[in-house]
Amino acid sequence: MIVAMLCIAGFFSPLATFYNGAVGVAQFSNWYFSTNATPLNDLQSVAPCALGALLVIVFLLTVMTIMLFNYRMRQLRLIIVSTILLIGHVALMALLVAKFNMEIQAVKEFQMCDFSVRVAGIFPMISIIFNLLAIHGIRKDERLVRSLDRLR
């Protein structure tokens, strides 16, 4: 449930902001890369949409997992797939932030550009932790049910 809420919050929040001194020159989100400076207008990219698509898939898998409370092994598999997708999301986000940072620094006026990760940038990592806790709890429940079946 918390993972689904973090996914929804991540849909609408920026992941990173790029600064040239104290002035924000660009913003990176799950859906877009927008620039405030005129020399950077040609850096528009469609690549962040892949992050948004991964987040939508993780959200749908999480909702499906919640609905499958009677089928613990299916839940377990879906959570493992969701965790793998979240790890891919984090890796792709790091790659895209590094790519955009290098492209911004390639422009003469922004050679001293720096970036900061926003709060929504850590939501996928928090979601991974909650998924691992869910995996542990589901395995624990499955062991308990199997031990009760042996007693019958």
Side-chain angles (χ1 to χ4, degrees):
M1 184 73 169
I2 296 173
V3 174
M5 290 188 296
L6 288 174
C7 286
I8 290 173
F11 288 150
F12 307 109
S13 303
L15 299 175
T17 304
F18 296 89
Y19 294 100
N20 188 20
V23 179
V25 294
Q27 206 169 39
F28 177 64
S29 174
N30 281 315
W31 300 103
Y32 61 87
F33 175 77
S34 67
T35 61
N36 302 335
T38 308
L40 299 176
N41 285 340
D42 59 337
L43 293 181
Q44 301 295 334
S45 176
V46 189
C49 289
L51 288 174
L54 279 174
L55 211 56
V56 167
I57 293 170
V58 168
F59 174 75
L60 293 175
L61 284 174
T62 303
V63 171
M64 285 175 48
T65 302
I66 293 170
M67 300 300 168
L68 292 173
F69 57 89
N70 284 337
Y71 305 99
R72 283 176 297 281
M73 295 315 290
R74 286 184 191 164
Q75 264 188 331
L76 188 65
R77 288 184 198 113
L78 286 176
I79 291 174
I80 290 172
V81 169
S82 172
T83 305
I84 291 169
L85 289 175
L86 283 169
I87 291 170
H89 183 276
V90 170
L92 184 60
M93 181 179 68
L95 180 73
L96 287 175
V97 167
K99 174 189 172 267
F100 288 132
N101 192 27
M102 287 188 334
E103 287 180 359
I104 290 172
Q105 288 182 357
V107 177
K108 267 187 181 178
E109 295 130 16
F110 302 107
Q111 289 181 351
M112 298 303 292
C113 187
D114 195 20
F115 69 92
S116 68
V117 177
R118 304 287 292 262
V119 174
I122 62 169
F123 285 170
M125 291 175 261
I126 295 170
S127 296
I128 290 170
I129 292 169
F130 280 120
N131 274 350
L132 293 176
L133 290 172
I135 289 170
H136 176 71
I138 291 170
R139 284 186 177 157
K140 190 175 176 182
D141 287 346
E142 186 64 24
R143 274 187 258 131
L144 179 66
V145 168
R146 288 181 191 252
S147 71
L148 291 176
D149 284 344
R150 277 186 291 208
L151 292 175
R152 290 183 194 176

